[in-house]
């Protein structure tokens, strides 16, 4: 007798189960039984539905098993770390940055899928301090963001 359960991955991208997590009162006509599971450790590669078996053995060596579905979830948002930058406008009055330049070591318990910025391009109207957001999405769809200050400067002398 076994039940299906949902597991949440921890900050290291791991989760474990014991036979007791699945057992719903397995028994035998002669004595107590011992239980084990076919898989007891899950990681980021197991996100979604996983079939495992609860294996029950009696003192005489008789064995039976039942399957359960372990639904593994990653609900932890990425940790977003940014750094401030200074951008100098070029001769046409334009400047740009990339998400990689703003990212200062963002991490996730599974893996990061994408890094995007709320603003990539700057012009003369942006001279001074500008707040942008680095948006990080992990491979399981969890999203978080953090701000950075992009200081835009015009260092090109006028042509006389």
């Amino acid at each position: 007798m076994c039940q299906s359960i949902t597991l949440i991955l921890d900050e290291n991208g791991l989760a474990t189960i014991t036979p007791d997590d699945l057992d719903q009162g397995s028994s035998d006509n002669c004595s107590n039984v011992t239980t084990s599971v076919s898989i007891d450790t899950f990681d980021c590669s197991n996100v979604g539905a996983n079939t495992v078996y609860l294996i029950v053995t009696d003192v005489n060596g008789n064995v039976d098993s039942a399957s359960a579905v372990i639904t593994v979830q990653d609900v932890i948002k990425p940790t977003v770390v940014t750094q401030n930058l200074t951008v100098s406008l070029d001769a046409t009055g334009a400047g740009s940055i990339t998400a990689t330049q703003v990212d200062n070591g963002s991490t996730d318990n599974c893996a990061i899928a994408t890094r995007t910025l709320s603003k990539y391009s700057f012009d003369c109207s942006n001279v001074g301090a500008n707040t942008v957001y680095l948006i990080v999405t992990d491979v399981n769809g969890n999203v978080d963001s953090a701000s950075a200050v992009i200081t835009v400067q015009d260092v090109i002398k006028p042509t006389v």
Side-chain angles (χ1 to χ4, degrees):
M1 297 176 60
C2 140
Q3 69 176 342
S4 295
I5 61 172
T6 298
L7 287 178
I8 306 296
L9 294 174
D10 67 14
E11 65 279 353
N12 298 312
L14 299 171
T16 60
I17 60 170
T18 66
D20 290 342
D21 294 326
L22 304 181
D23 192 0
Q24 291 249 5
S26 301
S27 62
D28 185 62
N29 63 336
C30 289
S31 66
N32 291 335
V33 295
T34 59
T35 57
S36 62
V37 290
S38 59
I39 302 170
D40 65 356
T41 304
F42 300 86
D43 62 25
C44 295
S45 68
N46 302 114
V47 168
N50 301 270
T51 301
V52 300
Y53 294 91
L54 175 66
I55 304 156
V56 180
T57 306
D58 71 13
V59 296
N60 297 309
N62 297 307
V63 178
D64 198 5
S65 66
S67 66
V69 175
I70 308 301
T71 303
V72 177
Q73 296 178 340
D74 169 27
V75 298
I76 297 177
K77 294 178 179 181
T79 300
V80 183
V81 182
T82 62
Q83 61 185 349
N84 299 331
L85 297 175
T86 299
V87 175
S88 297
L89 298 176
D90 64 15
T92 67
S96 63
I97 58 173
T98 65
T100 303
Q101 290 173 302
V102 175
D103 192 333
N104 194 29
S106 299
T107 60
D108 186 68
N109 64 328
C110 285
I112 293 175
T114 61
R115 292 170 178 84
T116 58
L117 291 173
S118 59
K119 184 172 179 70
Y120 292 92
S121 300
F122 302 91
D123 60 29
C124 294
S125 68
N126 302 118
V127 170
N130 299 268
T131 300
V132 299
Y133 293 90
L134 175 64
I135 303 125
V136 178
T137 304
D138 75 12
V139 294
N140 295 306
N142 299 303
V143 179
D144 207 357
S145 64
S147 64
V149 175
I150 308 304
T151 303
V152 177
Q153 60 185 5
D154 175 15
V155 295
I156 297 181
K157 296 178 182 178
T159 304
V160 180

